[in-house]
Amino acid sequence: QSPTPQEDTLATLAPNLSRGEERLDFTQDATRLDRHIRAFYPAPATYTTYEGKRLKVYRATPLDDHYPEAPGTIVALEGEGILVACGQGAIRLEEVQLEGKKRLPIEAFIQGIPEEKLLKVTLGS
C-alpha cells in the first residue's frame, strides 16, 4: 500500500484542553486510563492526588487483573510499579512526580514511603 496524502481542506484543529482534563478517573477501565496518560505525555501530564498533594503520572501499564477494592485503591507494590484498582482491570504506575519533588521511576518513589503507608490508600480522594 502506498501512502495517501491528506486532504488539507478536510483538516480541523483539535479543541483546546480544558482545566482538569488531565486528572485521572480510576473508575474508568485500565486501557482507557493508559491512553489518557499517553495522550498527556510529556506535558501537561496526567495527575491524581496522594495525601492531599498532586501526584503526576508519566508512565503506566494497563493490566487485565481484577481486584475487588474500590477504584483508585493501591492494591499491591512491586518492583516495576504500584498497582491501582480501576473500574475494570488495574493499572501499574511506573513513573511519577509528587508535588514539590523530582520526577522519579516508581522504584525510587516507593523507597521513600513505608509499604504499610502506601497499601490500601485510595488515590484521588
Side-chain angles (χ1 to χ4, degrees):
Q1 230 180 18
S2 62
T4 306
Q6 290 185 7
E7 181 61 50
D8 290 338
T9 58
L10 299 176
T12 60
L13 295 174
N16 289 333
L17 298 175
S18 61
R19 192 91 176 128
E21 279 187 81
E22 59 274 339
R23 186 178 184 102
L24 293 173
D25 177 3
F26 291 102
T27 62
Q28 296 182 353
D29 69 79
T31 301
R32 186 176 178 122
L33 280 174
D34 174 56
R35 290 177 183 152
H36 191 92
I37 292 165
R38 288 185 291 127
F40 284 83
Y41 180 84
T46 56
Y47 74 91
T48 187
T49 54
Y50 170 73
E51 294 191 331
K53 292 186 177 179
R54 188 175 283 214
L55 180 69
K56 288 187 177 184
V57 178
Y58 290 97
R59 280 189 313 113
T61 301
L63 305 169
D64 290 333
D65 303 355
H66 177 72
Y67 295 94
E69 287 85 356
T73 304
I74 296 175
V75 293
L77 304 177
E78 45 181 49
E80 307 90 39
I82 294 174
L83 297 184
V84 181
C86 298
Q88 183 176 344
I91 194 154
R92 182 174 54 226
L93 306 183
E94 298 168 346
E95 186 176 6
V96 297
Q97 180 179 12
L98 190 59
E99 186 177 327
K101 304 288 183 178
K102 290 182 0 181
R103 181 173 164 176
L104 298 170
I106 209 67
E107 299 89 355
F109 178 77
I110 291 172
Q111 282 180 343
I113 302 170
E115 184 174 334
E116 59 277 357
K117 188 173 178 184
L118 269 176
L119 285 174
K120 305 301 179 195
V121 167
T122 301
L123 298 176
S125 57

